[in-house]
């Protein structure tokens, strides 16, 4: 994993880390509320590969009220980010019935559909309105 981080921009502490995370979501046209983080220790980004990682003190569970989905964010989250897409996502799970399947990919449609597609490792895919992941949610 250290080699994936090589040459990366690293921001330490909650305030600076959160700023970098939000700026990356904006830059790649992803909903700003997609990663509700708490007590961030470190956020890093390698521009040449799109690799991003987030370390936070504790796991975070967040209910996206508009769609009634409970999502769990681990203490370490990593992915590759590109325009309107996060892939090879690790450290994020969404509750489905009694299970917590991992979410491995998120893709935002080009306008005007306003949809975001979340794909799990088991091949399960769900589509939601992108507004459900707005920062205020």
């Amino acid at each position: 994993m250290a080699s994936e981080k090589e040459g990366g921009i690293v921001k330490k502490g909650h305030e600076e880390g959160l700023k970098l995370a939000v700026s990356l979501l904006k830059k790649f046209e992803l909903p700003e509320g997609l990663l509700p983080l708490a007590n961030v220790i470190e956020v890093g980004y390698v521009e040449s590969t799109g690799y991003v990682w987030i370390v936070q003190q504790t796991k975070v569970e967040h209910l996206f009220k508009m769609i009634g989905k409970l999502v769990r964010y681990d203490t370490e989250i990593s992915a590759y980010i590109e325009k309107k897409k996060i892939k090879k996502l690790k450290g994020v799970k969404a509750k489905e019935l009694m299970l917590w399947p991992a979410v491995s990919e998120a893709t935002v449609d080009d306008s005007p559909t306003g949809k975001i597609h979340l794909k799990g490792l088991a091949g399960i895919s769900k589509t939601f309105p992108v507004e459900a992941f707005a920062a205020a949610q």
Side-chain angles (χ1 to χ4, degrees):
M1 182 151 60
S3 62
E4 290 177 311
K5 295 179 179 182
E6 199 169 302
I9 299 165
V10 179
K11 298 293 181 181
K12 302 248 184 207
H14 181 73
E15 193 172 310
E16 290 301 311
L18 195 57
K19 279 184 194 175
L20 177 57
V22 170
S23 73
L24 290 170
L25 291 171
K26 285 181 183 179
K27 176 181 178 178
F28 292 102
E29 300 177 34
L30 293 160
E32 290 178 39
L34 196 58
L35 298 171
L37 306 171
N39 301 314
V40 173
I41 296 169
E42 175 181 293
V43 175
Y45 171 62
V46 181
E47 191 167 10
S48 62
T49 62
Y51 183 72
V52 63
W53 69 93
I54 298 165
V55 180
Q56 52 187 357
Q57 287 179 2
T58 57
K59 291 180 182 181
V60 172
E61 284 190 4
H62 182 79
L63 176 64
F64 290 96
K65 293 176 187 164
M66 182 184 277
I67 57 173
K69 282 285 172 208
L70 186 62
V71 180
R72 181 180 293 158
Y73 298 85
D74 211 338
T75 55
E76 293 187 32
I77 302 164
S78 65
Y80 289 87
I81 191 169
E82 57 189 61
K83 185 177 179 182
K84 298 191 178 208
K85 189 172 193 174
I86 296 175
K87 57 187 181 180
K88 297 184 181 178
L89 180 61
K90 294 180 183 169
V92 179
K93 295 178 180 182
K95 190 167 186 184
E96 285 292 327
L97 303 173
M98 301 295 284
L99 303 173
W100 285 92
V103 178
S104 62
E105 192 171 292
T107 306
V108 175
D109 283 347
D110 289 323
S111 295
T113 65
K115 299 289 183 189
I116 185 168
H117 309 276
L118 302 179
K119 189 184 297 183
L121 292 174
I124 298 167
S125 185
K126 297 272 187 171
T127 301
F128 301 104
V130 78
E131 306 88 58
F133 299 94
Q137 292 295 319

